[in-house]
Amino acid sequence: MPTFVLQNDGEKPPHSEPPFLTDVNDAQKKAVLHTDGPLLIIAGAGSGKTRVLTYRIANLLYQKKAWPNQILALTFTNKAAREMQERIVDLIGEKANRIWMGTFHSIFSRILRFEAEHLGYTRDFSIYDTVDTDRVIKSILQELGFNTREVKPQAVRFIISNAKNQLISPEAFKNKFVQSSLDDIAAQVYERYIARCRQNNAMDFDDLLIKPIELFEHHPEILQKYQNHFRYILIDEYQDTNHAQYRATQLLAAGHQNICVVGDDSQSIYSFRGADISNILNFKEDYPDSAQIPLEQNYRSTKSILQCADSVIRQNTSRLDKTLWTQNDRGEIITVLENYDERDEANRIVRSIEDLKMREHLSFRDFAVLYRTNYQSRVLEDAFRRRGVPYQLVGGISFYQRKEIKDVTAYLRLLVNPHDDESLLRVINEPARGVGEKTITNLQQIARKHNKSLWDTIGDVESTGIYKPAIGRIRDFVDILERTGKKLTDTGLTDTVRFLLDETGYVKQFVEEHSHDSLMRRQNVMELLNAISYFEKSSNTPSLSAFLQEISLVTDLDAHDTDDPAVTLMTVHGSKGLEFPVVFITGLEEDLFPIGGRSGEDVDIEEERRLFYVAITRAEKRLYFSYAKNRFRFGEQVDMNRSRFLDEVDPSVVRTETGATIRQTGSPGMAGRSGKSGTYISYDQSNYDGNAGAGSDFHSESYDSAAPADDGGGMGVEYDQNTGEIIWRSGMAVIHKKFGPGKIVQCQGQGDDARLTVFFKNVGQKKLVARLAQLKVIG
DNA sequence: TTAATCGTACTTTTT
DNA sequence: GTACGATTAA
């Protein structure tokens, strides 16, 4: 049970400001010192969000508003949680380790362990990742007689996962949400899938978010316990919360109402996982008494980089109003690298890095190469290896998703949770011991008939009447596990696992086979053994079940080592929250970034644009865009068109390597056609001289004055040469008599007849006809 | 009934 | 490149 400590009501909180509050600006300070009541912090990229969050928690403790373990801080990655925790420890000492700080999944699974019995689970439940889930779904599909080549388990998983995150039950889904034949199939699978998980005493990633809601709604007394306990709740990256996360935290916060959420709608990049932007957009409605503090000063990037980022993101229509600015230098111009193909691209990048490192006395750790899809990493790795430049690949196929690791952990899961049929199926013939497909289906049928788990069924294989030669082999399997289980109670964790590996001959199969592949696999298993050994020594609860829980929720992203003097290679998604002096964004091609929709599915171009925005804003000093004209895809060379995003970028801050500007022929707001036709590179060799406002603080409102066709001096308003009508542009700052200052988000037509969508600081977004609105252009 | 070999379709992002 | 499935040999 968690320790529930009463608040220290008697003690008087200190009235002075905390001593650590020296290096913050006014907005940050306001956010830190705000303690009670709901608070929304809109934190633009690089605006010192983590600092505010850590100071805010430290202040709550300093002001004696709560004990450390009465604070709940939720993040999306373990790494973010760990970093924040470390920083708070630096501020207020070791007691910060008692804060409930972690990812939604890890914190909720912790609560679920405590309360498992209330949900009909035991505290040793297994956690299924997507690989496990796909296997379960596949087997259900096969049972239902579907061809799993035509009906892809992943597609079904996707539909089910969406339904779960929307808190739609199988019954409700069947009645209301079936719109296609695939939906119909998913509806059939959904119910069985839930039943199967329950029988296996297993929860998938979605369950970790949903089950707490079920728990709270069915057991008000338990909800109340947690409501009372968590006096302050903080949520990072609120724009990425899905409906389930929203609902769960809403329930928890309902008591004290001390909920502080931090987010940036411009960085919402997880809608494919059910993230719902409206959670952050509607925070004000959910909590009418909430305060709202925007953090708009950027401390990370140069003016050029920020200008570039803003020129991209303002092409999106739906966003909260905010204006990022910085006092940093204008910095270097952004460089576009055009390449023949992906190998050319990779080599060019590696050479640029070596070059820049020498010239600017940088370390390899100052560089990051970002890409849209994981498979792009392969060519890059090749190039880095060939030139001997150290690199660190982050993400990709997670260590814990590798086949050999999943096999070993399936054995371990089975020890802790014998009713986990999925894990049993995974290893009953691994390594091959003569228990094949036929035997397994027979066993499953028998188990179903007696309504028993597979483990219970094979406990008495002799009486099952299955294929005779298999009986002895299964007996061996059961024996090994039973002896391993005994070993676990007698000796330590590491020894037990070593014993298991010996008995099963799992490692031996790799030793005997002398391929490169098997060597790698063996090394990976040894790596796992190391991890177990380390866990056993360092954890204060060194149980097998604790270890399994921990590894099921870590990702390779968490392994990113910022001290390692190596270039970081990762996806744009993985880079969120990080910063690097030099960033390369690669593969800027149509159908890659922005990604192309697969078979009929349409892509959310605004989300892709936000993704591009996230990538740009990772850069501190220098930024490179690169694309290839040809790329090897699906086993063949394909002609690629450069990304439309390159056409949307403010041309005044970007140059090709030769110093040419990149320009677009269409109007800036009209992106959408594929790249090549609408663009050209003009080879004017004029040096980059910044724009008219260079030297003054950079504001996004001044962007359009830097547009190529402009004189650069005046108000930046353009008029049609024939009619003399004003040409409206998105991004223009205007003033309305009634609504006050605002910014044009979208425009259609010119002159008085134009229809404009304007975002006003005070009243929000409005649609106007120019003639009636009487807008005054201010920049 | 099981194991090994060969051929084929597919690559978005992650807790 | 690779991870499945189908096909074949034992």
Side-chain angles (χ1 to χ4, degrees):
Chain A
M1 283 295 291
T3 45
F4 291 101
V5 185
L6 287 172
Q7 205 206 10
N8 50 337
D9 288 314
E11 276 185 63
K12 274 253 187 288
H15 284 290
S16 59
E17 277 182 11
F20 46 79
L21 205 61
T22 50
D23 48 354
V24 289
N25 65 34
D26 287 349
Q28 290 175 328
K29 189 168 176 177
K30 209 170 129 198
V32 170
L33 294 178
H34 176 284
T35 54
D36 291 59
L39 171 66
L40 167 61
I41 301 172
I42 301 173
S47 61
K49 172 194 75 169
T50 309
R51 170 175 295 177
V52 167
L53 270 177
T54 52
Y55 283 14
R56 191 168 183 279
I57 293 173
N59 182 52
L60 289 172
L61 297 172
Y62 179 79
Q63 303 280 349
K64 303 239 191 283
K65 287 281 190 181
W67 292 110
N69 76 338
Q70 291 175 319
I71 293 173
L72 174 63
L74 297 166
T75 63
F76 274 82
T77 64
N78 295 299
K79 201 169 147 240
R82 202 170 50 225
E83 260 174 34
M84 233 193 293
Q85 191 121 23
E86 279 166 10
R87 285 165 75 163
I88 301 174
V89 167
D90 287 345
L91 292 174
I92 61 147
E94 288 296 322
K95 65 184 175 200
N97 286 320
R98 315 236 329 263
I99 297 167
W100 284 65
M101 170 124 45
T103 62
F104 275 92
H105 292 83
S106 73
I107 296 285
F108 284 6
S109 77
R110 204 157 135 197
I111 292 175
L112 287 169
R113 300 264 167 210
F114 292 132
E115 315 292 348
E117 287 81 14
H118 296 287
L119 291 161
Y121 279 80
T122 78
R123 59 173 44 221
D124 292 319
F125 62 81
S126 301
I127 295 174
Y128 283 175
D129 63 15
T130 46
V131 178
D132 303 319
T133 300
D134 280 345
R135 282 174 54 109
V136 174
I137 290 176
K138 189 174 167 190
S139 109
I140 295 173
L141 281 169
Q142 280 164 345
E143 264 173 41
L144 292 172
F146 291 107
N147 181 343
T148 48
R149 288 224 303 186
E150 284 156 23
V151 185
K152 292 204 201 78
Q154 299 163 40
V156 175
R157 182 194 74 218
F158 191 73
I159 295 171
I160 293 177
S161 173
N162 270 348
K164 286 176 106 173
N165 281 312
Q166 301 289 317
L167 305 177
I168 299 167
S169 68
E171 299 76 40
F173 184 83
K174 205 180 281 173
N175 294 332
K176 282 193 204 144
F177 296 91
V178 171
Q179 278 164 3
S180 67
S181 57
L182 190 61
D183 282 345
D184 188 55
I185 296 167
Q188 295 175 54
V189 177
Y190 191 1
E191 213 166 355
R192 284 160 206 262
Y193 173 70
I194 289 180
R196 194 79 82 83
C197 286
R198 188 171 286 271
Q199 275 163 23
N200 292 2
N201 192 31
M203 298 199 197
D204 65 17
F205 284 149
D206 301 325
D207 288 327
L208 296 180
L209 306 177
I210 290 165
K211 295 284 180 190
I213 300 173
E214 192 183 317
L215 176 78
F216 294 153
E217 285 179 341
H218 291 138
H219 302 273
E221 75 288 354
I222 295 177
L223 172 61
Q224 212 177 23
K225 180 175 76 178
Y226 286 97
Q227 277 179 343
N228 290 337
H229 180 71
F230 294 128
R231 298 203 161 222
Y232 293 91
I233 299 175
L234 295 93
I235 307 171
D236 193 13
E237 310 277 17
Y238 196 64
Q239 76 280 356
D240 288 333
T241 50
N242 64 27
H243 185 69
Q245 287 162 324
Y246 164 79
R247 179 82 187 123
T249 48
Q250 189 191 40
L251 284 168
L252 283 173
H256 291 292
Q257 295 271 319
N258 293 327
I259 180 170
C260 166
V261 304
V262 188
D264 178 2
D265 56 307
S266 299
Q267 295 186 63
S268 163
I269 54 174
Y270 282 107
S271 74
F272 70 95
R273 243 171 65 190
D276 189 350
I277 272 204
S278 60
N279 289 345
I280 192 166
L281 298 177
N282 296 338
F283 188 79
K284 264 188 282 187
E285 277 98 87
D286 291 331
Y287 300 93
D289 299 332
S290 65
Q292 184 172 337
I293 301 174
L295 302 179
E296 296 182 316
Q297 182 174 2
N298 173 293
Y299 293 93
R300 180 185 294 153
S301 309
T302 64
K303 285 193 178 69
S304 292
I305 291 167
L306 212 55
Q307 183 169 352
C308 174
D310 204 90
S311 69
V312 166
I313 199 63
R314 71 177 172 174
Q315 315 265 341
N316 276 3
T317 49
S318 54
R319 49 188 296 248
L320 291 172
D321 185 37
K322 66 178 165 310
T323 307
L324 271 183
W325 60 279
T326 185
Q327 287 180 349
N328 293 343
D329 291 342
R330 175 147 289 278
E332 299 294 325
I333 197 91
I334 295 150
T335 307
V336 180
L337 308 175
E338 186 191 67
N339 306 283
Y340 174 72
D341 63 11
E342 75 271 23
R343 295 165 68 92
D344 187 25
E345 177 183 47
N347 289 327
R348 179 89 64 99
I349 287 169
V350 178
R351 277 204 311 273
S352 303
I353 288 173
E354 288 178 310
D355 194 50
L356 210 57
K357 176 178 183 285
M358 292 289 284
R359 276 209 331 259
E360 309 272 318
H361 307 291
L362 296 166
S363 157
F364 282 129
R365 79 167 68 86
D366 295 329
F367 297 86
V369 181
L370 307 181
Y371 37 84
R372 176 69 242 264
T373 65
N374 271 306
Y375 82 95
Q376 291 168 256
S377 68
R378 199 164 288 138
V379 212
L380 288 163
E381 275 193 278
D382 272 356
F384 276 91
R385 252 200 307 264
R386 255 204 309 278
R387 294 198 67 99
V389 173
Y391 67 92
Q392 194 182 173
L393 184 76
V394 185
I397 309 144
S398 159
F399 178 75
Y400 290 102
Q401 283 196 28
R402 299 198 130 91
K403 182 186 178 298
E404 59 275 21
I405 302 303
K406 288 216 62 114
D407 286 344
V408 178
T409 51
Y411 271 110
L412 302 179
R413 282 213 291 226
L414 206 49
L415 285 175
V416 172
N417 178 17
H419 298 302
D420 186 347
D421 284 1
E422 175 51 33
S423 294
L424 187 142
L425 287 171
R426 190 172 178 108
V427 291
I428 193 166
N429 196 36
E430 192 62 58
R433 52 169 71 86
V435 182
E437 204 181 345
K438 191 75 192 179
T439 304
I440 289 170
T441 40
N442 285 339
L443 280 173
Q444 281 179 300
Q445 266 163 20
I446 296 164
R448 180 112 46 89
K449 206 164 72 196
H450 300 283
N451 202 15
K452 286 203 286 194
S453 67
L454 284 170
W455 175 253
D456 286 343
T457 308
I458 61 170
D460 190 20
V461 258
E462 288 79 2
S463 68
T464 54
I466 52 162
Y467 179 60
K468 288 264 159 50
I471 289 183
R473 300 162 187 162
I474 294 175
R475 183 82 267 157
D476 289 346
F477 173 74
V478 174
D479 279 352
I480 291 172
L481 274 167
E482 277 175 346
R483 277 185 285 131
T484 313
K486 221 167 265 154
K487 188 102 181 160
L488 185 61
T489 50
D490 298 345
T491 60
L493 205 53
T494 316
D495 287 336
T496 305
V497 178
R498 209 173 274 134
F499 175 81
L500 178 80
L501 293 174
D502 276 350
E503 292 291 307
T504 54
Y506 193 83
V507 179
K508 214 172 93 190
Q509 61 176 331
F510 298 140
V511 181
E512 282 163 0
E513 192 191 309
H514 289 285
S515 68
H516 176 74
D517 186 66
S518 64
L519 184 73
M520 293 295 290
R521 289 182 193 274
R522 199 174 119 210
Q523 280 173 355
N524 286 333
V525 174
M526 290 307 148
E527 188 86 11
L528 177 69
L529 208 57
N530 282 339
I532 292 171
S533 168
Y534 175 79
F535 176 82
E536 190 174 16
K537 282 183 217 133
S538 63
S539 170
N540 37 14
T541 53
S543 71
L544 179 53
S545 123
F547 176 74
L548 290 173
Q549 146 139 330
E550 190 170 296
I551 64 168
S552 52
L553 298 173
V554 300
T555 65
D556 270 18
L557 239 42
D558 300 321
H560 183 224
D561 180 359
T562 38
D563 294 329
D564 187 3
V567 177
T568 300
L569 268 50
M570 55 167 42
T571 63
V572 180
H573 279 90
S575 75
K576 196 171 68 157
L578 305 177
E579 55 190 17
F580 301 89
V582 185
V583 169
F584 291 80
I585 304 173
T586 67
L588 279 166
E589 297 135 40
E590 283 295 299
D591 273 2
L592 184 59
F593 199 177
I595 197 100
R598 298 184 302 213
S599 52
E601 281 184 48
D602 44 19
V603 288
D604 182 346
I605 192 68
E606 297 221 338
E607 175 141 322
E608 293 295 310
R609 199 176 279 120
R610 288 192 294 268
L611 199 51
F612 187 43
Y613 175 79
V614 167
I616 294 170
T617 52
R618 297 311 94 199
E620 295 170 0
K621 301 255 187 290
R622 281 171 187 271
L623 179 59
Y624 290 82
F625 295 148
S626 101
Y627 65 96
K629 288 190 285 191
N630 300 282
R631 193 174 283 276
F632 221 75
R633 295 181 97 188
F634 297 102
E636 57 170 348
Q637 273 296 320
V638 183
D639 282 351
M640 303 296 282
N641 290 317
R642 52 180 242 157
S643 172
R644 72 187 75 179
F645 292 159
L646 288 173
D647 302 331
E648 294 176 3
V649 147
D650 185 333
S652 71
V653 290
V654 185
R655 291 285 188 278
T656 67
E657 272 182 302
T658 56
T661 55
I662 56 163
R663 280 201 203 167
Q664 55 227 113
T665 49
S667 70
M670 291 297 289
R673 314 124 311 172
S674 69
K676 270 184 178 163
S677 55
T679 56
Y680 63 92
I681 293 176
S682 81
Y683 287 89
D684 79 4
Q685 291 288 330
S686 66
N687 292 324
Y688 170 58
D689 55 9
N691 70 7
S696 67
D697 281 354
F698 161 71
H699 275 270
S700 65
E701 279 93 346
S702 64
Y703 283 168
D704 267 356
S705 62
D710 190 51
D711 57 30
M715 292 302 257
V717 182
E718 277 180 72
Y719 297 91
D720 188 290
Q721 292 191 338
N722 301 320
T723 60
E725 287 182 312
I726 191 164
I727 298 173
W728 303 99
R729 294 234 192 270
S730 56
M732 274 182 174
V734 293
I735 289 183
H736 185 277
K737 259 193 281 189
K738 223 160 76 195
F739 301 143
K743 196 151 104 183
I744 297 181
V745 180
Q746 207 177 27
C747 44
Q748 226 174 54
Q750 42 179 261
D752 281 354
D753 290 330
R755 286 158 195 282
L756 308 170
T757 309
V758 185
F759 199 103
F760 292 100
K761 263 204 167 81
N762 303 324
V763 293
Q765 196 160 301
K766 298 273 177 200
K767 282 195 174 142
L768 309 163
V769 177
R771 188 199 326 265
L772 305 168
Q774 295 285 316
L775 293 170
K776 199 172 157 221
V777 181
I778 55 172

